[in-house]
Amino acid sequence: MSGGTRLENANPVIFQRSGERLLTATDEDEDVHDPIDDREIFDLIRSINDPEHPLSLEELNVVEQVRVKVSDAESTVGIEFTPTIPHCSMATLIGLSIKVKLLRSLPDRFKIDVHITPGTHASEEAVNKQLADKERVAAALENSSLLEVVNQCLSTRSI
């Protein structure tokens, strides 16, 4: 954000990050079918940068593993995210960043549903409608300045 811009949520609550996932012997064996699970999806999205703060979506509790639902057999991924405040103007951008991360990371067979946790945002219905509309998502990603902001959210921060 630019220097003179006021943050919507100037003092967000910061949550502890969960530990790294430990690999098992089956994770290393290429011959074993390793279905994609909730934790694997959570690991993909937990480090996405918040557009307003130098913190991850996990650190702000915007994404939680319990709000990730995956069915490898049905090729579906459902993510609920919780904006830090009910009037967060960044909600669509956050949802778009989550969706883009998953579109770039998962096989094409997956149907990805990203939406706001029910009852946590004033414009929940409108944001969810935008995120569910493939044409609107594609059009948003054709906007170079918006794509640049999404890519900043997805870039890894140097500590």
Side-chain angles (χ1 to χ4, degrees):
M1 304 218 68
S2 59
T5 306
R6 220 175 129 249
L7 297 176
E8 287 184 17
N9 185 3
N11 295 307
V13 177
I14 301 172
F15 294 79
Q16 177 132 5
R17 290 178 49 103
S18 44
E20 296 301 318
R21 184 177 187 162
L22 299 174
L23 294 179
T24 62
T26 56
D27 291 328
E28 303 293 321
D29 188 348
E30 296 298 322
D31 296 329
V32 174
H33 174 67
D34 185 21
I36 294 175
D37 62 11
D38 298 358
R39 178 59 194 245
E40 190 168 348
I41 298 300
F42 178 68
D43 284 345
L44 287 172
I45 65 171
R46 65 191 265 194
S47 61
I48 294 173
N49 302 312
D50 181 79
E52 276 195 320
H53 298 284
L55 298 165
S56 71
L57 295 186
E58 179 187 21
E59 289 169 314
L60 291 170
N61 218 36
V62 172
V63 296
E64 301 173 85
Q65 187 176 340
V66 296
R67 300 203 180 280
V68 175
K69 302 293 179 230
V70 177
S71 171
D72 188 78
E74 296 175 13
S75 299
T76 59
V77 173
I79 307 285
E80 284 184 352
F81 69 99
T82 308
T84 58
I85 55 173
H87 294 284
C88 177
S89 64
M90 301 288 169
T92 305
L93 177 60
I94 291 168
L96 188 60
S97 297
I98 293 168
K99 191 154 195 157
V100 168
K101 176 68 174 185
L102 295 176
L103 287 169
R104 290 178 181 174
S105 303
L106 294 174
D108 290 341
R109 69 180 171 96
F110 279 92
K111 181 182 183 308
I112 300 165
D113 174 33
V114 176
H115 57 273
I116 292 178
T117 305
T120 63
H121 193 272
S123 303
E124 172 187 331
E125 193 175 310
V127 172
N128 288 345
K129 188 174 179 181
Q130 281 185 300
L131 293 172
D133 187 326
K134 285 183 181 179
E135 287 78 24
R136 288 172 87 172
V137 169
L141 298 177
E142 288 175 11
N143 177 324
S144 59
S145 54
L146 183 56
L147 183 59
E148 187 178 328
V149 176
V150 167
N151 285 334
Q152 285 173 357
C153 290
L154 299 181
S155 69
T156 46
R157 281 211 170 87
S158 51
I159 297 172

